[in-house]
Amino acid sequence: MEPIFIVVGLVVFILLAFIGVFISKYRTVGPDEALIVTGSYLGGKNVHIDEAGNKIKIIRGGGAFILPVFQQAEPLSLLSSKLEVTTPEVYTEQGVPVMADGTAIIKIGGSIGEIATAAEQFLGKRKKIVKMKRERF
């Protein structure tokens, strides 16, 4: 009877380990963000292919199992972002001092292509205030 208990215990341990790995590798995102998945074995649904043949999978408001070693995933916020542009005192060619401050609100579009473009340009960058260089007009 002892070998049966060992086998049952081993099967339960392996099953719990498998469930633990599955739970730890399942990533979800809310309705205000997109999960950008890169790597191999992306499937066919919501996969964007650019001109160079690079593939990314885009998941909005849902989840996906990320295959360890083969895939990476990173969330991308789809909320509006405020971009502030400030310049120090700049002089025109006539010597007139000019200071310009501006604010822009940017929003990533909701289509797969627009999200793919935003992922290429913004993913991995921190939000910061952009300051223009001091130049002559």
Side-chain angles (χ1 to χ4, degrees):
M1 284 295 215
E2 287 183 11
I4 292 176
F5 290 125
I6 294 173
V7 170
V8 169
L10 188 60
V11 169
V12 168
F13 176 76
I14 291 172
L15 185 62
L16 289 176
F18 182 74
I19 290 171
V21 168
F22 183 79
I23 289 172
S24 69
K25 296 301 177 184
Y26 191 80
R27 301 276 307 268
T28 59
V29 290
D32 60 343
E33 54 187 356
L35 187 66
I36 309 300
V37 182
T38 57
S40 304
Y41 312 110
L42 296 177
K45 188 176 177 187
N46 295 330
V47 174
H48 178 77
I49 304 171
D50 65 5
E51 297 86 23
N54 299 321
K55 296 180 182 181
I56 62 171
K57 185 172 188 170
I58 299 169
I59 299 160
R60 293 185 57 200
F65 179 73
I66 307 304
L67 296 172
V69 180
F70 297 108
Q71 296 177 344
Q72 291 182 338
E74 192 168 337
L76 176 67
S77 175
L78 300 178
L79 296 174
S80 298
S81 297
K82 183 177 179 181
L83 179 67
E84 294 190 25
V85 180
T86 60
T87 61
E89 192 171 286
V90 179
Y91 294 91
T92 64
E93 288 186 12
Q94 291 79 24
V96 178
V98 177
M99 289 181 62
D101 295 332
T103 302
I105 306 295
I106 58 172
K107 171 85 172 86
I108 297 172
S111 74
I112 298 294
E114 292 168 333
I115 293 172
T117 301
E120 179 182 326
Q121 295 176 358
F122 300 124
L123 206 59
K125 291 187 179 181
R126 297 182 329 172
K127 291 184 180 180
K128 61 182 177 181
I129 297 176
V130 176
K131 295 192 179 199
M132 294 179 65
K133 291 183 182 177
R134 186 175 216 177
E135 297 179 9
R136 295 184 77 72
F137 285 101

